[in-house]
Amino acid sequence: MDTPFIYDKHVTGRYFIGRRSECMILGNLLKAGEHVSIYEPPKTGKMSLVHQTLFNLRNDGHQFIVAFVDMLNVRTLSEFLIKFGTSVMKSVASTPEEYDAMVRDYLDGTHFVFDRVRFMTYEELVSLNWNPDMNDVRKMLELPVRIAQVKELPYFVVLKEFQNLMNADEYDDVFKLMEQMMKERDRSNPHQAVYVMSGAMVNAMKFIFEEKRYFYRQVNHVALMPVDEKEIIEHVVKGFLNGMGKSFDRNLAMGACELFKCNLWYMNHLAAICDALSKGFVTETMMTDALNSMIAVHEPRFVSIINDLTDHQLSLLRAVLDGVIKFSASDVIEKYRLNSSANVRRVKDALKKKEVLTFNEKDEPVILDPLFEYWVSNIYFDKR
C-alpha cells in the first residue's frame, strides 16, 4: 500500500520533505570530490538524505558508482575489511568469476582471497586467510580508488555506523592510514573515491571528528537542521486528506511536532498508527492512543536505558529535564545530590558515552531521543 507515512525504510522522491539545503550541500561536496561526515541521533533522516542526494544527482545526469558499507555489527578489523570489500566489489561485479578476478587483480600481495565456500555460505566476496596487517588495510582502502580510475567514474563509499570501527583494537592505525591516503590523493583526477562517514552514535562521532580531530580539514561535516514545523504539518494533513480522504486537525499535528521536536520518523510512525485507528477523521483521543502504542513499543528500550544509569546519572538527567544548564553550581550540586563538580564531569561523560545526552556548542545539554525525553519526564519521573 502506497502511504506518505514511511518509517520502516529510507525515504526518497515525493514523500521526502525538508532537507533541501542539506541535499544541495551534500550534492555539491560529492561532486567536488570532498569527503563528508554526518552524525545525528538514530532515525533522524541521515540515510534518507544520502539516498535523496544521490537520486537528485542521477536525475541531473551525473554518473557515479556507489557502495553502502553497513558497519552496524563491526567489532574487529577483519570484519570491517571483509564488509568493506564485499560491498565495494558487489557494486561493480556480479558473478563468482568476476569476484575471483577482482581479488587477484586488485588485492594481490595481501591476505585476501576469494573463498567459494564462504561465498556460497555467507555471501562473502572477499575473505582472509590470515590476520590482517596494515598492508591489507591500505590495499583494501585503495580498492574503490582503483575501481574509480578503471571505470573512469567517481566512486561514493557510504560507511554506515562509522563509529563502530573504534571497536577494533587497531582503529587508531586505520584512521591515521585513512588520513594519510586522503592527503596523498590526486585532487586533479576527477575519478576519485569519496567517503560519506555516517553515524548514529553522536558522541562517539564527535569524539572522532571533534575531540580527537581525526581527518582534520579532510572531511566536511554536514549537519541536519530541524525540518520546518509548517512543512511537517502540511505533510501530515495533506497525507491524510489526499491519500486516505481523512481529516487530521492542524493543531493536533502541531502538538505532535512539539512533542517529537520535529522528528519525522516519530511523526510518520504516529501518523501511520492514527491512520489504522481512524475511519474519517483523527481525534485527540485517537492520537493519544497512537502515542500510547508507540510508548508500549519503545518502553522496554527506555527501561533498559534507565536501568543502566547510576543514581547520580539519574539525578543529572532529572536536572536536565528541570531546565538546568550549569550543573557545577553549588546550589545545583546540593539540590540534586551530585556530590562535587568533579563528579558532575564524570556523570556528564558517562551519559555522553551511553548516548543519552549530548552537549551543543554552548555546552547546553540535549536529550538525544525526544520520545525517551517525554517518557522519562512524564512516566518515569511522573511529572505530568
Side-chain angles (χ1 to χ4, degrees), residues 89 98-110 112-115 125-127 143:
M89 290 168 57
E98 290 175 328
Y99 303 145
D100 192 12
M102 287 188 71
V103 173
R104 283 187 281 104
D105 294 343
Y106 291 117
L107 300 173
D108 58 308
T110 69
F112 295 111
V113 296
F114 176 69
D115 186 325
L125 275 58
V126 58
S127 305
L143 180 58

Side-chain angles (χ1 to χ4, degrees), residues 245-286:
K246 299 178 181 180
S247 174
F248 197 110
D249 185 81
R250 290 179 182 273
N251 290 327
L252 290 180
M254 186 183 302
C257 273
E258 291 174 1
L259 189 154
F260 295 132
K261 298 184 177 179
C262 294
N263 180 300
L264 265 172
W265 185 72
Y266 278 136
M267 285 296 297
N268 280 328
H269 195 179
L270 181 79
I273 298 174
C274 287
D275 177 39
L277 293 174
S278 62
K279 291 185 177 180
F281 57 91
V282 178
T283 66
E284 186 174 354
T285 300
M286 289 176 188

Side-chain angles (χ1 to χ4, degrees), residues 301-339:
R301 175 168 64 90
F302 296 159
V303 170
S304 178
I305 293 171
I306 287 294
N307 287 343
D308 193 40
L309 303 183
T310 66
D311 290 345
H312 287 144
Q313 291 163 13
L314 273 173
S315 295
L316 193 137
L317 181 58
R318 184 158 200 163
V320 171
L321 293 169
D322 289 342
V324 174
I325 295 174
K326 298 184 181 296
F327 302 100
S328 295
S330 57
D331 58 329
V332 172
I333 290 174
E334 181 178 355
K335 178 179 179 180
Y336 294 97
R337 299 178 182 179
L338 294 171
N339 285 354

Side-chain angles (χ1 to χ4, degrees), residues 66 71 74 137 226 318 353 357:
V66 63
M71 299 166 60
V74 165
V137 177
R318 184 158 200 163
K353 186 171 289 188
L357 298 179

Side-chain angles (χ1 to χ4, degrees), residues 128-159:
L128 280 159
N129 62 9
W130 199 258
N131 293 330
D133 55 30
M134 282 302 112
N135 177 60
D136 295 332
V137 177
R138 174 177 281 276
K139 282 277 192 159
M140 182 57 76
L141 294 176
E142 287 175 345
L143 180 58
V145 179
R146 296 179 67 182
I147 292 173
Q149 292 171 353
V150 169
K151 300 289 186 180
E152 296 187 338
L153 288 171
Y155 199 132
F156 305 145
V157 183
V158 182
L159 301 173

